[in-house]
Amino acid sequence: MRQRIVVGNWKMNPPSVAEATALATVLALRADVRGVLVGVAPPAVALGAVAKVLAGSGIDVYAQDVHWEESGAFTGQTSASMLVGLAHGAIVGHSEVRRDQGDDDERVSRKLERAVDAGLRPILCVGETEDHYLAGETHGVLVRQIRACVARLDPAALAELVVAYEPIWAIGTGRPATGAEAGRAAGTIREALARVGIDADRVPIQYGGSVTSANVGDFAAADGIDGALVGGSSLRAEDFAEIVSAFA
Ligand code: PGA
């Protein structure tokens, strides 16, 4: 039986550390769902405060990104080792980071390696653009991304890997994929993982992209989908709690 895991990606929200702390406080009071691993990924500046509030709550804290180098002249960036003690894991390869920082699969692969080396549980995001989706190229894109991001790593080091299938056209648009599409993508991702020697049946796969408490049932019921990476809806404690419960 695979782990089920729901993580809230807060992105550059809420607008202050005080509000991030307040949101974490509300979530901590509701953290009583059995059978689902729950995490939140606050902005880097709020990691310490949120981690303090969530200590002992059962909700894990994730970083939204790590740098691909260990240290050095990289103004504004955070290395994986700096997150040790603050975060349980880290998201890598999110399409917004790829878009805004020019990350390609090679860089994402190095970030994944840094996260793993630092003992952080990695959530690797993959997903196709709208053009690729409309052209029917989702399968090929996912296979290429998985191979490029994962192949250079030792499969044994990836025992804790989580993959998030996030079609770029579904993120923040209110137009989610269907459960069937997410399930097909999960199948593709597992095949690609298995081909590079990873025990793919054990890797939890999340769906991400406009997940709400209203549509989560479709994804919770989808074949091979074990959780969600939730953006907008994770900022509303009530909605997030319902999304978590859907995977219980
Ligand atoms: P969304 O974001 O739920 O707001 O679409 C998901 C994500 O980017 O992880």
Side-chain angles (χ1 to χ4, degrees):
M1 172 96 168
R2 271 191 303 271
Q3 290 177 324
R4 306 200 129 219
I5 175 166
V6 175
V7 174
N9 174 12
W10 292 359
K11 309 190 179 186
M12 200 166 72
N13 299 296
S16 68
V17 173
E19 282 167 84
T21 310
L23 176 57
T25 305
V26 177
L27 292 177
L29 296 173
R30 298 167 163 274
D32 61 351
V33 176
R34 265 160 266 261
V36 187
L37 297 171
V38 182
V40 294
V45 72
L47 276 171
V50 169
K52 208 163 155 192
V53 170
L54 293 180
S57 71
I59 300 178
D60 292 320
V61 175
Y62 285 72
Q64 294 178 10
D65 191 23
V66 300
H67 199 269
W68 64 90
E69 294 288 359
E70 257 170 20
S71 63
F74 300 101
T75 302
Q77 304 301 309
T78 306
S79 73
S81 64
M82 292 170 186
L83 296 164
V84 174
L86 283 179
H88 170 80
I91 299 169
V92 295
H94 193 282
S95 61
E96 287 156 11
V97 181
R98 293 181 191 245
R99 178 195 69 198
D100 296 341
Q101 292 181 17
D103 281 12
D104 55 12
D105 288 330
E106 151 74 13
R107 220 187 246 178
V108 173
S109 174
R110 294 175 66 192
K111 289 182 168 192
L112 180 61
E113 190 170 20
R114 292 287 173 219
V116 168
D117 284 353
L120 299 168
R121 182 168 208 180
I123 300 177
L124 169 65
C125 299
V126 293
E128 79 285 3
T129 62
E130 180 146 43
D131 284 352
H132 283 131
Y133 172 70
L134 294 174
E137 291 168 1
T138 300
H139 179 90
V141 169
L142 294 177
V143 169
R144 274 199 304 280
Q145 285 180 334
I146 289 290
R147 194 183 307 137
C149 293
V150 161
R152 60 196 285 274
L153 278 85
D154 176 4
L158 293 172
E160 291 291 298
L161 177 68
V162 178
V163 177
Y165 168 57
E166 296 213 313
I168 295 170
W169 50 269
I171 296 176
T173 59
R175 278 191 300 128
T178 64
E181 287 170 328
R184 267 199 301 282
T188 299
I189 290 165
R190 285 211 171 84
E191 265 173 48
L193 289 171
R195 236 174 276 142
V196 293
I198 291 170
D199 185 0
D201 280 338
R202 294 200 46 207
V203 176
I205 297 182
Q206 301 172 314
Y207 168 76
S210 297
V211 174
T212 65
S213 52
N215 65 31
V216 66
D218 199 20
F219 301 106
D223 241 7
I225 294 292
D226 311 298
L229 186 55
V230 188
S233 297
S234 73
L235 298 168
R236 295 180 293 274
E238 189 80 31
D239 285 354
F240 188 60
E242 280 182 42
I243 291 166
V244 170
S245 300
F247 285 96

